[in-house]
Amino acid sequence: QCPYCLQAKSTVDRVLAAYGDQIRLVYRHYPLPNHPDAVPAAEASMCAAAQEQFWPYHDHLFANTDQLSPAALKEHAVTLGLNMDAFNACFDNREYREAIEEDMAAAREIGVSGTPAFFINGRPLGGAQPFEAFERIIEDELSRN
């Protein structure tokens, strides 16, 4: 539901394409309270991750940001061919609620207050930044190795 995260997605995709195996992307959840569908979407994405489908599900949600109701989240899992018995049990039981809360607590602890928020080898880069902002920090970090 975060328009800035949606804007940043294409930049992150470009960074991943440009740097390939020179970098590693670690995703943490930080659903903002002003986005009421964000927590269920995060939980659903983790249920997809349990079936090794986090990124396809993530990308599908970003392509369908207007379809984030609980029923729609389940329909997205059907579309991706997930095991629906496992997905529904996971989602309905909120199996990843605590893990998402831990992600949020860890983010707050290091000063994150909004999304998207990025850290490149511990160096913060907040907001929907252009590719060049990532490039500057990544190139600097790569030159240190």
Side-chain angles (χ1 to χ4, degrees):
Q1 283 187 298
C2 172
Y4 303 108
C5 294
L6 181 60
Q7 182 181 345
K9 184 186 179 313
S10 62
T11 303
V12 171
D13 290 345
R14 185 174 169 198
V15 167
L16 292 170
Y19 288 97
D21 63 358
Q22 295 178 0
I23 62 171
R24 179 173 61 114
L25 175 64
V26 176
Y27 191 96
R28 301 283 188 221
H29 292 283
Y30 196 76
L32 296 175
N34 58 320
H35 298 306
D37 296 327
V39 170
E43 291 174 352
S45 73
M46 292 302 294
C47 293
Q51 297 184 42
E52 299 185 13
Q53 294 297 310
F54 175 81
W55 288 113
Y57 194 86
H58 168 277
D59 293 348
H60 190 78
L61 291 186
F62 271 85
N64 295 280
T65 58
D66 61 336
Q67 300 170 21
L68 298 175
S69 69
L73 294 170
K74 290 180 178 186
E75 188 56 39
H76 298 316
V78 169
T79 299
L80 293 173
L82 300 184
N83 174 315
M84 291 311 297
D85 289 337
F87 184 88
N88 287 335
C90 176
F91 183 71
D92 293 342
N93 293 324
R94 302 189 72 189
E95 288 184 18
Y96 288 97
R97 178 182 181 189
E98 187 174 312
I100 292 165
E101 289 173 355
E102 289 171 4
D103 278 357
M104 294 170 65
R108 283 190 299 272
E109 192 172 299
I110 59 172
V112 173
S113 61
T115 59
F118 302 94
F119 291 86
I120 302 169
N121 284 354
R123 294 168 63 176
L125 183 62
Q129 297 289 325
F131 174 81
E132 293 76 18
F134 286 87
E135 183 180 45
R136 276 190 298 278
I137 296 172
I138 292 170
E139 289 295 334
D140 184 52
E141 289 297 320
L142 289 173
S143 72
R144 293 173 188 230
N145 291 331

